Amino acid sequence: MQKPKDEVRQAILDAALDEFHIYGFKRASMRNIAERAGITPGNVYCYFGGKAELFSAVLEQTMAELNRLVRMAVTRENSMVLSIENMAKGLTELFLKNRKQFLILVNGSAG
């Protein structure tokens, strides 16, 4: 029985998160991602145009949240001035929620 498309897409994203976390962008393999997701490599390309697009999709939510925090600090969107302590707290919460994505950004995004 074939998995519904949302499940397949999520399986690819989960597999890619692990692959990019372990190997970084440059050494990550689309074949390994497909194998981890339990699908064929060709099927990965039905959902994502290539490794760079998949990499962006894996980090999209984390980058959006990080950009939101930075925007708040720069533009003071909130009614209070964002203190360094509050910024650190926000970054810490974001890191704890998205640990693998942060490590990919810091260690594995080269290439």
Side-chain angles (χ1 to χ4, degrees), residues 4-110:
K5 291 183 180 193
D6 288 343
E7 278 186 39
V8 174
R9 186 177 192 284
Q10 190 58 53
I12 295 167
L13 289 170
D14 292 343
L17 176 62
D18 288 339
E19 181 77 6
F20 290 131
H21 178 243
I22 294 167
Y23 298 105
F25 177 81
K26 198 172 192 176
R27 292 182 31 230
S29 161
M30 293 295 274
R31 184 177 309 277
N32 288 348
I33 291 167
E35 188 175 311
R36 286 173 187 267
I39 61 173
T40 64
N43 205 14
V44 174
Y45 290 99
C46 291
Y47 289 86
F48 300 96
K51 188 163 63 168
E53 184 180 323
L54 181 53
F55 186 79
S56 292
V58 165
L59 298 176
E60 182 177 21
Q61 183 64 36
T62 301
M63 289 301 299
E65 291 181 42
L66 185 57
N67 286 330
R68 183 186 59 78
L69 279 175
V70 171
R71 258 192 330 274
M72 284 175 58
V74 173
T75 64
R76 294 184 170 102
E77 286 178 2
N78 56 352
S79 59
M80 305 174 10
V81 174
L82 189 62
S83 70
I84 292 174
E85 183 179 335
N86 286 338
M87 184 68 164
K89 181 180 176 189
L91 285 171
T92 300
E93 288 172 2
L94 185 59
F95 173 79
L96 292 174
K97 189 171 92 176
N98 300 283
R99 184 177 184 276
K100 284 184 181 180
Q101 291 89 334
F102 262 82
L103 292 174
I104 290 168
L105 285 168
V106 173
N107 299 322
S109 61

